[in-house]
Amino acid sequence: MKKFFLALAALLPLTLSAQQPVILHSHNDYNRTAPFWEAYSQHCRSIEADVFLHEGTLLVGHEIEDLKPENSLLRMYVDPIVRTFRANGGRMWKGSEDRLMLLVELKSATEPTLTEVIGLLEEFPDVFCSPEGVQVAITGNVPSKEHFRDYPAWVGFDGDIRDIYTPAQLERVALVSNSFRMFAKKWNGKGRMIDPELDAVKAAIEKVHSWGKPIRFWEAPEGTTAYFTFWKMGVDIINTDKPAVASLFFSDWGNKNFIMGKHQVQAGVTGTKKLDAATRDFSGFQNEKLQLTKRIPTYTPTYKNDGSSKKIKNVIFLIGDGMGLNQIVAGAYANNRDLSILKMKSIGIQFYNPQDDFIGDSASGGSALATGELSWTRHIASNHDGSVEYPSLADYFKEMGKATGVVSLGDIADATPAVFYGHTSERDSTDRITRYMLTSKVDLICGSGRDYFEDPRADGIDMVSGTRDNGYTYITDALKVNETPGKVICLDNRMGRYATEETLSFLADITKASIEKLSQESRKGFFLMVEGAKIDYAGHSDCFPASVIEQLGFDLAVAEALKFADANGETLVVVTADHETGGLTLLDGDLESGHILAVYNSDDHTPTVVPVFAYGPGSREFMGTYMNIEIPRTIKKLVTK
């Protein structure tokens, strides 16, 4: 039995590290526009051919009246398989060790039909008769189990769960196939199976697996819920009449699933080329690192001053870049429906359509959030031609004598942080944005981007000397911003890296240190903007596990803001996004294991609305539905000069 399981493991890589976590069986393949090729192109590792021995020729078709002389087994399946296998140097797919199973259903009399099939395939021994070649399995009019040994060892047979096999007979069983309706007559693939049917299906799977065999159900429903249910239950070979749909569902499986706790993931890096100039050097998400062994702690506010009319001294503005409602909900599901952000009771909805397009970007969305002025795509806190510079909330509060800070868990010259200190009609004008930063009045500017300033060709910062005549002290450790008095620019390249379990609290720790610094800088209070940048990166990269982890890291930062607001009593906390990225859709999951299945419908921004959360004095002013420009306008109204 151990020997068999080793062979089975080679055929069925049932882990998240596989290209697909299951084998897809292309049922009735011959009925499609391009038989074999449609299934092959979708990496279906099991392909079916219904075969009649008709007038001495093996013909493919479902019924005898459907047979056509040109639709021979040789032309439709054997020839293309042989050409492909040999062209790829002895494998079916380039760069993959996956084997193909050719499931031949005998529709005519067993003995003569099977003898003819074996004779045909033996003409190509390197392809069909080798342990490394295409696996051949016989279904339909299968010979009796007592006669399995009468046929070549390279021929396998389709088993039946109702049968009883000797160990020798089981060795010749390649898979076990039965009608799904034997076990579940009512389920149509939507919602949950009723318990008796669910138990019957589970028992069938367990029985076949106890034999050491893969199981396939025919007459099974299809669709998102059905596919995920079968995968979760351990069905090894999923029957499909829609290979393109099923293959798309299971493709890139590791990037569609997050499971709380250590689990096998696909190797490699999920990167993106969709980022802008300031972040184009992002190294991507290392897939093996996108795991958490335990849920994060959350903070429950006291609500003592929430919604009160008490004077507001401080404002903490947290922006999750690309953070739509589903990004938040995914993080909550992974964390047993528990996030600090969801404990904020004043909730609104904002639209973020720019002036010149339907869908906004970080520049237009961020500019509107920073300035309260209508925005244009790619513009940084300026009008349509860049001739008018719009003052930001940082400018507003600086004029009030308050300390100000801009913190980004990304490149400090990227759009979202830039809108709080810079102005330009093109977000990729990072040199100009940087010059604004160097002459800014903002007390604390913190993010990644150190490499640029160490480039001797750039009109940047000498990181060695530490200070310059513009009044800033330059440091490279974001966790020490509270140890450096006066104006600080911190360029810490760790802030440009993706979050891991080891670094998950990094943004929260920086947020805490920044609050400590700014609260000490001015008795009149402070304004702090904190950006969680890589929720957006994950959306552009179609990397759902990264989205969950970045969201949870952002939530830890929200918790630090809420803790300070409760301790201080005069602090307003506002949390929102500049836009949503990826059109994230949650499909299924499991609360107990923290498993979420989700797909992105785009690799770019979408026009869906995003939530606004507020806590502290004046928080109820943010309830309702409005344009993004109303958020900074409301903040200004609440904290008047």
Side-chain angles (χ1 to χ4, degrees):
M1 186 64 71
K2 180 179 179 182
K3 181 179 179 181
F4 172 79
F5 274 119
L6 291 175
L8 182 64
L11 178 63
L12 304 175
L14 302 178
T15 71
L16 291 179
S17 61
Q19 180 175 358
Q20 292 175 336
V22 295
I23 285 179
L24 294 180
H25 172 75
S26 181
H27 180 247
N28 291 335
D29 176 78
Y30 47 86
N31 285 333
R32 300 199 178 87
T33 304
F36 172 73
W37 293 114
E38 289 187 42
Y40 172 78
S41 67
Q42 300 301 329
H43 211 102
C44 292
R45 287 182 281 153
S46 179
I47 296 178
E48 178 177 343
D50 289 0
V51 175
F52 289 85
L53 180 59
H54 183 70
E55 297 179 353
T57 302
L58 293 169
L59 298 180
V60 175
H62 191 64
E63 303 291 344
I64 194 165
E65 56 266 24
D66 299 331
L67 301 180
K68 298 178 181 179
E70 63 270 21
N71 289 345
S72 68
L73 179 63
L74 175 64
R75 187 188 71 83
M76 293 181 70
Y77 289 95
V78 175
D79 274 351
I81 288 173
V82 169
R83 291 198 308 270
T84 302
F85 185 84
R86 291 174 176 174
N88 289 335
R91 60 183 60 180
M92 284 305 299
W93 290 275
K94 289 182 180 179
S96 172
E97 298 296 331
D98 291 342
R99 294 181 67 191
L100 173 69
M101 177 189 289
L102 178 60
L103 189 64
V104 180
E105 181 170 345
L106 306 183
K107 303 285 282 189
S108 51
T110 301
E111 177 54 34
T113 310
L114 181 52
T115 299
E116 194 71 20
V117 169
I118 291 172
L120 172 62
L121 300 183
E122 282 181 333
E123 296 179 23
F124 313 95
D126 59 318
V127 180
F128 298 104
C129 309
S130 164
E132 293 78 31
V134 173
Q135 185 181 29
V136 177
I138 304 301
T139 188
N141 292 329
V142 176
S144 65
K145 59 190 177 185
E146 292 78 13
H147 290 283
F148 284 175
R149 66 179 183 273
D150 297 340
Y151 299 96
W154 53 268
V155 178
F157 299 96
D158 196 0
D160 190 319
I161 196 171
R162 297 166 293 186
D163 217 332
I164 299 174
Y165 299 95
T166 67
Q169 292 165 354
L170 261 182
E171 287 186 7
R172 301 301 301 274
V173 173
L175 74 163
V176 175
S177 301
N178 285 93
S179 169
F180 183 72
R181 296 308 168 195
M182 285 178 53
F183 314 99
K185 298 183 182 300
K186 296 182 178 180
W187 193 55
N188 64 355
K190 306 292 191 295
R192 184 181 184 275
M193 277 184 258
I194 60 175
D195 285 341
E197 294 189 348
L198 185 66
D199 292 341
V201 174
K202 285 181 178 179
I205 295 170
E206 290 172 1
K207 181 178 180 179
V208 173
H209 285 175
S210 73
W211 293 352
K213 300 298 175 181
I215 189 169
R216 174 180 75 100
F217 293 113
W218 43 277
E219 289 189 330
E222 293 201 57
T224 297
T225 302
Y227 296 148
F228 185 74
T229 300
F230 289 143
W231 172 82
K232 189 165 57 173
M233 295 181 72
V235 176
D236 311 288
I237 303 174
I238 291 184
N239 212 65
T240 180
D241 289 316
K242 305 172 183 178
V245 175
S247 180
L248 180 63
F249 178 82
F250 285 111
S251 66
D252 200 23
W253 191 244
N255 277 325
K256 293 176 179 175
N257 289 267
F258 177 85
I259 303 174
M260 186 64 70
K262 289 291 184 181
H263 56 92
Q264 289 183 291
V265 297
Q266 62 187 42
V269 175
T270 298
T272 178
K273 295 181 180 179
K274 293 290 290 185
L275 303 179
D276 286 277
T279 52
R280 62 190 171 199
D281 293 330
F282 175 61
S283 60
F285 298 100
Q286 186 70 42
N287 298 329
E288 296 93 329
K289 294 287 188 178
L290 300 180
Q291 302 185 71
L292 299 177
T293 58
K294 59 185 178 181
R295 294 180 168 98
I296 66 167
T298 60
Y299 176 72
T300 301
T302 65
Y303 305 107
K304 181 178 179 181
N305 297 296
D306 189 30
S308 72
S309 57
K310 192 173 181 179
K311 178 182 178 181
I312 298 172
K313 184 177 180 181
N314 312 301
V315 175
I316 305 175
F317 195 12
L318 297 108
I319 300 174
D321 198 328
M323 182 185 72
L325 182 59
N326 277 349
Q327 281 82 353
I328 297 170
V329 172
Y333 277 137
N335 209 51
N336 198 27
R337 292 181 297 199
D338 186 20
L339 287 182
S340 297
I341 191 173
L342 294 180
K343 296 177 182 180
M344 303 169 73
K345 296 181 178 179
S346 296
I347 304 173
I349 294 173
Q350 58 126 323
F351 291 90
Y352 49 86
N353 314 94
Q355 288 281 77
D356 56 342
D357 205 349
F358 187 59
I359 300 175
D361 65 344
S362 293
S364 63
S367 293
L369 293 175
T371 68
E373 300 292 342
L374 294 174
S375 58
W376 287 261
T377 53
R378 308 198 66 81
H379 285 54
I380 302 294
S382 68
N383 68 339
H384 67 284
D385 61 4
S387 61
V388 177
E389 298 180 350
Y390 296 143
S392 73
L393 286 172
D395 298 314
Y396 179 82
F397 286 112
K398 191 63 181 177
E399 290 180 3
M400 296 178 68
K402 296 180 184 291
T404 57
V406 174
V407 174
S408 173
L409 199 64
D411 195 293
I412 198 61
D414 199 13
T416 305
V419 297
F420 287 90
Y421 64 77
H423 311 275
T424 177
S425 59
E426 173 50 57
R427 62 181 293 174
D428 278 353
S429 299
T430 52
D431 287 348
R432 183 174 182 182
I433 291 171
T434 301
R435 285 193 287 272
Y436 274 105
M437 182 181 71
L438 297 177
T439 58
S440 172
K441 295 180 181 179
V442 177
D443 297 285
L444 171 63
I445 297 177
C446 183
S448 69
R450 176 180 174 185
D451 292 344
Y452 171 79
F453 293 102
E454 291 182 332
D455 186 343
R457 296 168 297 178
D459 294 329
I461 302 169
D462 178 0
M463 299 299 294
V464 177
S465 65
T467 59
R468 286 280 293 271
D469 56 8
N470 57 7
Y472 280 108
T473 297
Y474 303 101
I475 64 173
T476 58
D477 187 345
L479 299 177
K480 294 183 179 180
V481 295
N482 57 331
E483 299 177 12
T484 308
K487 295 175 65 178
V488 172
I489 289 180
C490 176
L491 299 174
D492 188 336
N493 277 358
R494 292 176 296 174
M495 300 181 74
R497 300 170 190 161
Y498 57 87
T500 65
E501 182 154 51
E502 294 73 24
T503 64
L504 191 64
S505 67
F506 193 40
L507 182 60
D509 295 337
I510 296 168
T511 300
K512 182 178 180 181
S514 299
I515 291 172
E516 290 178 359
K517 173 181 173 54
L518 295 178
S519 61
Q520 296 168 5
E521 292 291 324
S522 174
R523 294 181 180 179
K524 295 183 178 181
F526 66 85
F527 167 80
L528 172 64
M529 189 287 294
V530 177
E531 181 201 17
K534 298 181 201 68
I535 302 169
D536 173 70
Y537 294 18
H540 284 303
S541 302
D542 289 345
C543 187
F544 176 62
S547 176
V548 173
I549 292 176
E550 296 293 340
Q551 183 67 54
L552 294 178
F554 182 72
D555 194 69
L556 291 173
V558 172
E560 290 301 324
L562 295 176
K563 291 175 187 177
F564 178 81
D566 276 343
N568 173 265
E570 298 178 304
T571 299
L572 170 65
V573 178
V574 179
V575 185
T576 191
D578 48 359
H579 55 74
E580 193 275 346
T581 302
L584 185 65
T585 300
L586 309 187
L587 298 178
D588 216 319
D590 180 71
L591 279 173
E592 184 176 350
S593 63
H595 181 188
I596 309 299
L597 168 69
V599 295
Y600 288 103
N601 294 297
S602 170
D603 62 356
D604 207 347
H605 307 158
T606 69
T608 185
V609 296
V610 294
V612 183
F613 302 86
Y615 179 78
S619 61
R620 292 189 177 90
E621 295 296 318
F622 295 88
M623 299 170 71
T625 304
Y626 39 79
M627 282 296 297
N628 51 8
I629 57 174
E630 296 303 324
I631 297 173
R633 291 179 180 183
T634 301
I635 291 174
K636 290 180 181 179
K637 181 181 69 175
L638 291 170
V639 191
T640 56
K641 295 181 181 180

